[in-house]
Amino acid sequence: MRWLSWAGQEFNPVASQLYFEYIIKPRFNIGEPDTAAVARAQDGFRRLAAILESHLQDRRWVVGKTLTVADFSLAITLPYAEAVHIPLAEFPAVQRWHDTLCEIDAWREPFPEIAVAA
């Protein structure tokens, strides 16, 4: 519960701000990214990712020894890290953890093509 709450109240809002600035705004033609909002969100991400980085140093998963919903909750915006300028590469343990999540087919490709019957 601690990590789910932290994801919802702290970590994801800063990453979501970057998603809004770089994905949503262009998609709906509502302006250019706000450089001040981007800078605040990147600073916030760095501050919070440092906490997650420290926690993941000697762990494969966020909670215990198995994959939990906390992992998915924390990582929800990370597949878009490059597109939304999330400085993920600055946090090798977080990057490793996310790479491990990406080994899961359904995480890596959550929207498989639907086969069309002939």
Side-chain angles (χ1 to χ4, degrees), residues 93-109:
V94 176
Q95 180 71 63
R96 172 194 43 79
W97 163 73
H98 188 255
D99 289 346
T100 302
L101 274 170
C102 288
E103 293 171 6
I104 301 168
D105 290 339
W107 178 259
R108 187 180 60 254
E109 190 62 45

Side-chain angles (χ1 to χ4, degrees), residues 6-7 13 26 39 43 54-55 60 65 71 74 85-86 105:
W6 188 75
D43 288 346
S54 176
H55 181 73
R60 179 177 169 95
K65 296 183 186 294
D71 294 286
L74 281 161
H85 306 258
I86 289 174
D105 290 339

